[in-house]
Amino acid sequence: MTRLAGQVALITGGGTGIGRAMALAFSREGARVTVVARRTHKLQNVVDEIIASGREALALTCDVSVSSDAERAVRETVQRFGALDTLVNNAGTHSDATVEGITESDWDRVMAINLKGPFLMSRAALPALRGHGGGSIINTGSILGLLAMKSRAAYCASKGGLVMLTKAMALDHAHENIRVNCICPALVETDMVVALFPQTAEGQALRDARAASIPLGRLGRPVDIAELAVYLASPESSWLTGVAL
């Protein structure tokens, strides 16, 4: 399969869960991939898997909330692969608290990773995308960026902000052939989500109840999101921008 043949993609949070699935899917479709995260050992496992399949990949340490890290990740990707076609802002963190229950430092942490990170990474990537004739920015949001849930104040605020950042950037950069879209999943089977449910009968009951609230009756899988990201990076979505899916 070569739906992304010749493309170069940079994926944040690419070592586990949804980011890992995206990296493998993009590579399978012909893209050369850079995966970034704050810790390298899981990133290297992804890169090793991609290289073993005969494709090219690069692992870089990067704190998306630090502008110099964002700029370096883009710079080293372009130096290695010669261009950048797609940025996937997938790195994220969770918070389970009300406004009264969250500390100021934890609020800042959630905003730094979930909202400031995509801002900094996008700002760093725009010149490279523009210089290559356009491209795609894909933000990993959440259904909680579109509707609220109890005890998720900071998380809802950060993901709601990401949805609106997506729409604003889509308008600002459409004339440059840079498309910006946001994927807003419900619960997906990742390590972060698994940790939300205690390994008890009560935890299993809560998990089952959440799954039952989803029309198809199951949690999402990382590959479900990865395939949507492939579509948003491919020419198949060339007339789609500013959308929260």
Side-chain angles (χ1 to χ4, degrees):
M1 295 185 182
T2 55
R3 294 161 70 194
L4 304 179
Q7 283 204 27
V8 177
L10 193 166
I11 301 171
T12 71
T16 59
I18 292 171
R20 175 182 179 276
M22 287 176 172
L24 296 177
F26 275 57
S27 176
R28 181 200 70 213
E29 296 292 345
R32 291 167 290 171
V33 178
T34 296
V35 287
V36 306
R38 287 178 294 178
R39 294 176 294 275
T40 58
H41 65 286
K42 291 183 178 179
L43 289 178
Q44 194 58 52
N45 291 338
V46 175
V47 167
D48 290 345
E49 188 172 349
I50 290 172
I51 291 174
S53 72
R55 305 287 189 179
E56 293 183 74
L58 173 67
L60 296 173
T61 56
C62 174
D63 183 338
V64 298
S65 68
V66 177
S67 60
S68 59
D69 274 20
E71 292 162 3
R72 178 177 50 78
V74 171
R75 182 173 63 253
E76 293 190 17
T77 296
V78 174
Q79 287 174 348
R80 172 69 177 270
F81 298 125
L84 179 65
D85 299 281
T86 297
L87 168 67
V88 183
N89 287 311
N90 175 71
T93 191
H94 183 70
S95 172
D96 183 357
T98 67
V99 164
E100 289 183 307
I102 191 170
T103 64
E104 184 175 351
S105 62
D106 206 31
W107 175 277
D108 290 343
R109 174 186 62 85
V110 173
M111 294 299 167
I113 297 172
N114 290 358
L115 188 53
K116 184 180 179 183
F119 151 63
L120 291 175
M121 291 299 305
S122 297
R123 187 177 67 174
L126 280 166
L129 297 174
R130 186 183 298 120
H132 203 226
S136 178
I137 296 175
I138 303 165
N139 296 321
T140 301
S142 169
I143 191 68
L144 297 187
L146 302 174
L147 54 86
M149 182 177 181
K150 292 180 68 174
S151 297
R152 299 291 190 278
Y155 188 78
C156 286
S158 67
K159 294 299 187 178
L162 184 58
V163 168
M164 293 310 299
L165 178 62
T166 298
K167 293 178 178 290
M169 287 181 59
L171 293 176
D172 288 339
H173 301 287
H175 70 285
E176 299 174 308
N177 195 35
I178 297 171
R179 300 180 297 108
V180 190
N181 292 290
C182 190
I183 302 174
C184 298
L187 282 177
V188 178
E189 290 268 16
T190 64
D191 292 344
M192 186 170 72
V193 167
V194 168
L196 298 177
F197 302 103
Q199 298 299 306
T200 62
E202 182 180 5
Q204 185 61 48
L206 179 59
R207 177 190 173 92
D208 291 345
R210 291 293 297 276
S213 72
I214 298 171
L216 291 177
R218 66 168 176 85
L219 273 60
R221 299 166 299 207
V223 68
D224 296 322
I225 314 306
E227 295 302 327
L228 182 51
V230 167
Y231 166 70
L232 291 175
S234 77
E236 297 162 19
S237 62
S238 63
W239 207 42
L240 188 70
T241 195
V243 173
L245 293 165

